[in-house]
Amino acid sequence: MKAEIIAVGTEILLGEIVDTNSAHIARQLPELGIDLFYKSVVGDNRGRIVEVFSRAWGRSDLTIITGGLGPTDDDMTREGICSVLGEEPHIDPDLEAHLRKFFVGRGYPMPESNLKQAWLIPSARALENPRGTAPGWWVERDGHVIVSMPGVPTEMERMWANEVRPELERRTLDGVLVTRTIKTIGIGEGSVDEMARPLYGTPGIGIGTYARADGVHLRIGAKAPTREQAWSLIRPVEQEMDQIFGNAIWGRDDDTFEGVIGDMLTARKQTLSTMESCTGGLLASTLTDVPGAATYYPGGIVTYWTDLKIDSGVDPGVIEEFGVISPETAEAMAKTVRERLGTDFGVGITGVAGPDPQEDKPPGTVHVAVASPDGAVVHLSMSMNSGRAAVKRRAVTNALLLLRRALLAEA
Amino acid sequence: MKAEIIAVGTEILLGEIVDTNSAHIARQLPELGIDLFYKSVVGDNRGRIVEVFSRAWGRSDLTIITGGLGPTDDDMTREGICSVLGEEPHIDPDLEAHLRKFFVGRGYPMPESNLKQAWLIPSARALENPRGTAPGWWVERDGHVIVSMPGVPTEMERMWANEVRPELERRTLDGVLVTRTIKTIGIGEGSVDEMARPLYGTPGIGIGTYARADGVHLRIGAKAPTREQAWSLIRPVEQEMDQIFGNAIWGRDDDTFEGVIGDMLTARKQTLSTMESCTGGLLASTLTDVPGAATYYPGGIVTYWTDLKIDSGVDPGVIEEFGVISPETAEAMAKTVRERLGTDFGVGITGVAGPDPQEDKPPGTVHVAVASPDGAVVHLSMSMNSGRAAVKRRAVTNALLLLRRALLAEA
């Protein structure tokens, strides 16, 4: 089945917002055996919308459209589909009733402009949208399918999961692409590529390497009639890679540093606390992105001001002698929060997020320390040449990396 | 000047990573007077890369390509450009020397596969990449330009800012599109649209409404020969909107809630502290995304465990009586952190991030409280039907919204 994805919206074309919907959908097409050949973006322009929709209708079996279903004049996805199919829209009484009920529930009157969200055409059936006012459309004619969903990610994702994906799964698949991602850390992309090269020839297998913030990923892909057959091609290659990369492999597929660390702590019934300065709570927030983080993470302190570091128990003498931006202060923060919150591990981060220097240390200077149950403390110091947001993000990634090292060492 | 953007990479096509580069570039083209007509993504497939590049070379004056410049076999952007132009690559001695120096600096040997990052073709000049090993290409022939940049955002963004954008600015522009975004809160998109409708007819002006997490945005766009002329079209419309929406307008263009709040606090020389449970530090991290946040934000406490809330000074009686997930506990947290850290304002957040319920409260239940200098406390309670990450994000947005209200009330 040949598919393409179209995102509608001038805001997306001009990059005022990033289109995450296309990625969300594209990620799931391979396992459905659907080949994605094109991804494109079109602005809120009637002519260009019709042009792009007709080309898609002509060349693809399945066209997935997101956005342009709002109530305003510059929401033209419905109008575009009508033109391409040459069908006239009518207001569907059930949809209208449902729409008016929605507004009653919200307690304010429905602007008449919203009425077009109750449109249907002969070839379209409505897709439920419990999270918003715009229903989607499943349009089918002459062996072509157009799926139209709202652009608001939470609305789109639910409609995709509950209405669209199940329907696509029901349609027979001629072959399935299964992928396995192996995540390594501590080796450059070129070297990972050379180490994995002996496996590149493996029949039925495709291998790619990708440099990421959390290390270099190896992606093994296999296409076969069934998932089982695809997996039987992937497994031996994966085992070879385990041999080649050993401990440099920290995770697979959707694994994250914070998730892997959470699993290690949960398995060992150990706990963790944090004291952050320049990352301003991003480490705590990242740790608590993991469901069940409460099992091993009681909490942490964001000590943005030096006074608050001292009030929280950090020895002023250390700060006095070595400065706030120093490995010694990071170590004192890690030890202090570990003792104070009574956890097995403690993490301390201090540095300069920027844009201005601090204590004559340039922006991007960051010191991380992890205190372990056995009293050992490991350090990591880095100096990054990037913006404030990136400095915070990378400092957190490196803190998690250091934490994993401490957990491996302590095991 | 007709432009298109092409992102290269199977990982992007399959949505394993989201392409932020295209948005970053697209956002800046209008002010350069460059019309963006197409945005597309192509996988690491030689045939399809050549097909997409040739179509671009044929129909666009300027083609901006990101990705596919890595050292591995599946990085084929250079090869693709060579095929389209029918030019043979050679290894440029300066680029090779620079490349080898880079690896010496990193302290490990250069894999020979990296050598193709020293390639040039007759129509191409290299674009410096101080953040990585892959230089970009500025390719120019027969009145067409191809700009090829690395896919790693930090490398791409620097190359764009220092090499590509300045060169594009030097080329004369026939017209400039200026946009002004007005950000409102508390009014639905349909109503905002109806309230702004009288202005839609304004000659030379385009107006769009966009529903966002931080409210409904109105985008005023004007195209004119010069920036001044464009602004003279926008200004009167903007003044009308100030009249129509008044206090519902909280910001413009790149303004963020956290930035606007930071400006208010800085102007009043007031301070703020936070005690978070279900958002796990995301509020602190969001506040400290603002450069200069240290002026008004000493820090906060992430009290993920109830014990830690109590150790931090929250009255156990309140938790006992009303439960951890309650407006009363949120209020106690806000007051406690405000007193404890000696700030003018204090924010407390408690709730259920999910996926599991807590105290029989469903996931997505969140209570926020803001304590003001005059002793007043404002509340906001919400129940969201979305995933863990979205619950955290929206809880923070609502906390900032409540904080703005408290600041306005206290003024």
Side-chain angles (χ1 to χ4, degrees):
Chain A
M1 191 185 237
K2 270 194 266 169
E4 73 183 279
I5 299 175
I6 301 168
V8 178
T10 299
E11 1 141 41
I12 292 170
L13 184 67
L14 295 185
E16 285 156 13
I17 58 170
V18 175
D19 166 36
T20 54
N21 291 332
S22 301
H24 182 84
I25 296 163
R27 217 175 287 129
Q28 301 178 51
L29 294 180
E31 64 211 49
L32 296 170
I34 296 172
D35 298 310
L36 178 65
F37 283 173
Y38 310 92
K39 246 163 81 174
S40 48
V41 179
V42 58
D44 301 315
N45 169 294
R46 177 100 184 225
R48 251 170 271 136
I49 283 176
V50 172
E51 174 208 327
V52 171
F53 286 8
S54 349
R55 196 190 307 134
W57 183 256
R59 71 185 176 186
S60 299
D61 311 310
L62 169 67
T63 303
I64 300 170
I65 303 169
T66 61
L69 297 184
T72 70
D73 288 346
D74 57 9
D75 293 299
M76 282 172 294
T77 294
R78 290 182 204 83
E79 290 82 343
I81 296 174
C82 293
S83 315
V84 172
L85 274 73
E87 297 187 7
E88 278 304 312
H90 61 276
I91 291 171
D92 179 83
D94 299 350
L95 291 179
E96 180 179 356
H98 183 278
L99 194 59
R100 296 199 179 273
K101 217 161 90 245
F102 183 97
F103 277 89
V104 172
R106 292 290 169 102
Y108 50 86
M110 180 181 93
E112 284 314 297
S113 57
N114 278 79
L115 248 188
K116 72 177 184 173
Q117 298 187 317
W119 280 10
L120 270 188
I121 52 173
S123 302
R125 64 176 177 84
L127 301 169
E128 244 189 69
N129 179 7
R131 290 183 177 171
T133 57
W137 277 8
W138 181 286
V139 183
E140 186 151 16
R141 214 181 69 189
D142 316 327
H144 293 267
V145 171
I146 291 181
V147 176
S148 163
M149 294 183 285
V152 181
T154 54
E155 298 180 20
M156 191 287 296
E157 282 163 25
R158 185 180 171 128
M159 190 178 291
W160 167 261
N162 295 13
E163 305 268 332
V164 180
R165 190 187 154 123
E167 177 61 34
L168 290 174
E169 279 168 354
R170 273 191 286 280
R171 320 220 158 191
T172 59
L173 314 174
D174 66 338
V176 177
L177 173 68
V178 174
T179 69
R180 164 72 91 194
T181 301
I182 311 274
K183 302 184 173 182
T184 71
I185 189 74
I187 313 175
E189 183 179 9
S191 309
V192 167
D193 181 57
E194 289 199 345
M195 290 164 76
R197 198 165 288 255
L199 300 170
Y200 284 4
T202 319
I205 286 285
I207 296 175
T209 61
Y210 309 105
R212 291 279 179 279
D214 59 5
V216 176
H217 297 184
L218 282 149
R219 191 167 149 283
I220 316 169
K223 188 155 190 174
T226 69
R227 297 187 62 79
E228 290 60 35
Q229 285 161 294
W231 274 115
S232 65
L233 289 167
I234 288 175
R235 260 185 228 95
V237 177
E238 185 177 4
Q239 284 157 5
E240 289 280 346
M241 285 191 180
D242 289 335
Q243 291 298 320
I244 297 170
F245 295 101
N247 225 337
I249 297 174
W250 65 265
R252 286 157 217 275
D253 296 337
D254 298 336
D255 288 348
T256 60
F257 271 141
E258 56 272 23
V260 167
I261 287 162
D263 293 341
M264 291 168 98
L265 288 166
T266 307
R268 304 176 184 192
K269 298 190 165 45
Q270 289 180 312
T271 57
L272 165 73
S273 59
T274 55
M275 192 184 293
E276 307 175 65
S277 188
C278 63
T279 48
L282 185 59
L283 175 58
S285 182
T286 304
L287 287 166
T288 56
D289 282 340
V290 181
T295 320
Y296 50 84
Y297 185 69
I301 315 175
V302 179
T303 56
Y304 221 51
W305 285 4
T306 302
D307 293 1
L308 188 54
K309 294 182 182 67
I310 294 163
D311 295 347
S312 305
V314 176
D315 176 359
V318 174
I319 297 175
E320 182 65 36
E321 182 175 356
F322 303 99
V324 180
I325 316 298
S326 64
E328 291 78 5
T329 297
E331 169 167 346
M333 291 168 73
K335 283 178 162 171
T336 303
V337 76
R338 177 181 174 273
E339 284 154 24
R340 210 187 153 99
L341 271 63
T343 54
D344 297 295
F345 290 87
V347 184
I349 306 182
T350 179
V352 189
D356 303 321
Q358 196 180 335
E359 294 180 346
D360 308 326
K361 317 281 197 326
T365 309
V366 177
H367 303 284
V368 184
V370 175
S372 299
D374 56 16
V377 179
V378 283
H379 289 294
L380 192 65
S381 294
M382 62 213 92
S383 69
M384 295 167 276
N385 170 20
S386 49
R388 185 177 173 88
V391 166
K392 284 178 68 175
R393 243 190 351 264
R394 290 202 214 165
V396 166
T397 304
N398 281 295
L400 293 169
L401 175 56
L402 190 65
L403 194 48
R404 174 176 176 262
R405 252 191 247 150
L407 278 156
L408 290 174
E410 192 258 358
Chain B
M1 192 187 237
K2 267 193 266 170
E4 70 183 281
I5 300 173
I6 300 168
V8 178
T10 298
E11 350 130 56
I12 293 171
L13 184 67
L14 295 187
E16 286 156 11
I17 59 170
V18 175
D19 166 35
T20 55
N21 292 331
S22 302
H24 182 83
I25 296 163
R27 218 175 287 129
Q28 301 178 51
L29 294 181
E31 65 211 48
L32 296 170
I34 297 172
D35 298 310
L36 179 64
F37 282 173
Y38 310 92
K39 245 161 83 176
S40 48
V41 178
V42 57
D44 302 314
N45 170 293
R46 177 96 183 227
R48 252 171 271 134
I49 283 177
V50 172
E51 175 208 326
V52 172
F53 287 9
S54 343
R55 196 188 310 132
W57 183 255
R59 70 186 176 185
S60 299
D61 311 310
L62 170 67
T63 303
I64 300 169
I65 303 169
T66 62
L69 297 184
T72 70
D73 287 347
D74 57 10
D75 294 300
M76 283 172 295
T77 294
R78 290 183 204 80
E79 290 81 345
I81 296 174
C82 293
S83 314
V84 172
L85 274 73
E87 298 186 6
E88 278 303 312
H90 61 276
I91 291 173
D92 179 83
D94 299 350
L95 291 180
E96 180 178 358
H98 183 275
L99 195 58
R100 295 199 179 273
K101 215 159 92 246
F102 182 97
F103 276 90
V104 172
R106 291 291 169 99
Y108 49 86
M110 180 180 94
E112 283 315 296
S113 56
N114 277 80
L115 247 189
K116 73 176 184 174
Q117 298 186 318
W119 279 11
L120 271 188
I121 53 173
S123 301
R125 66 177 176 82
L127 301 170
E128 242 189 71
N129 178 7
R131 290 183 177 170
T133 59
W137 277 8
W138 182 285
V139 182
E140 186 152 17
R141 213 183 69 188
D142 318 325
H144 293 266
V145 171
I146 292 181
V147 175
S148 163
M149 295 183 284
V152 181
T154 54
E155 299 180 20
M156 190 287 296
E157 283 162 25
R158 183 176 174 133
M159 189 178 292
W160 167 261
N162 296 12
E163 306 268 335
V164 180
R165 191 185 154 122
E167 177 61 33
L168 291 173
E169 281 170 354
R170 273 192 285 280
R171 322 222 158 191
T172 57
L173 315 174
D174 65 340
V176 178
L177 174 67
V178 174
T179 69
R180 164 72 90 192
T181 300
I182 310 275
K183 301 184 173 182
T184 70
I185 189 73
I187 312 174
E189 184 179 9
S191 309
V192 168
D193 180 57
E194 289 199 345
M195 290 164 77
R197 196 165 291 253
L199 300 170
Y200 284 5
T202 319
I205 287 286
I207 297 175
T209 62
Y210 309 106
R212 291 279 179 280
D214 58 5
V216 176
H217 296 185
L218 282 148
R219 193 168 147 282
I220 315 169
K223 188 155 191 175
T226 71
R227 296 186 61 78
E228 290 61 33
Q229 285 161 296
W231 274 115
S232 65
L233 290 168
I234 288 176
R235 258 184 232 96
V237 177
E238 185 176 4
Q239 284 156 5
E240 289 279 348
M241 285 191 179
D242 289 335
Q243 292 297 321
I244 296 171
F245 294 101
N247 226 338
I249 297 174
W250 64 265
R252 287 158 215 276
D253 295 337
D254 298 335
D255 288 348
T256 59
F257 271 141
E258 56 272 24
V260 167
I261 286 163
D263 294 341
M264 290 168 98
L265 288 166
T266 307
R268 305 175 184 192
K269 299 191 166 40
Q270 290 181 312
T271 57
L272 165 74
S273 59
T274 56
M275 192 184 294
E276 306 175 64
S277 188
C278 62
T279 47
L282 185 59
L283 175 58
S285 181
T286 304
L287 288 166
T288 56
D289 282 340
V290 180
T295 320
Y296 50 85
Y297 186 69
I301 315 175
V302 179
T303 56
Y304 221 52
W305 284 5
T306 303
D307 293 1
L308 188 52
K309 292 182 182 69
I310 293 163
D311 295 348
S312 306
V314 175
D315 176 0
V318 172
I319 297 176
E320 183 65 37
E321 183 175 355
F322 302 99
V324 181
I325 316 299
S326 66
E328 292 79 3
T329 297
E331 170 168 345
M333 291 167 73
K335 284 177 161 172
T336 303
V337 74
R338 177 180 172 274
E339 283 154 25
R340 211 186 153 100
L341 271 62
T343 54
D344 297 295
F345 291 86
V347 184
I349 305 181
T350 179
V352 189
D356 303 322
Q358 195 180 333
E359 295 181 345
D360 309 325
K361 317 282 197 320
T365 309
V366 178
H367 302 284
V368 183
V370 175
S372 299
D374 56 15
V377 180
V378 284
H379 289 294
L380 191 65
S381 294
M382 63 212 91
S383 71
M384 295 167 276
N385 170 18
S386 48
R388 185 179 174 88
V391 167
K392 284 177 68 174
R393 244 189 353 264
R394 290 204 212 164
V396 166
T397 304
N398 282 296
L400 293 169
L401 174 57
L402 191 65
L403 193 50
R404 174 174 175 263
R405 253 190 246 152
L407 278 156
L408 290 174
E410 193 258 358

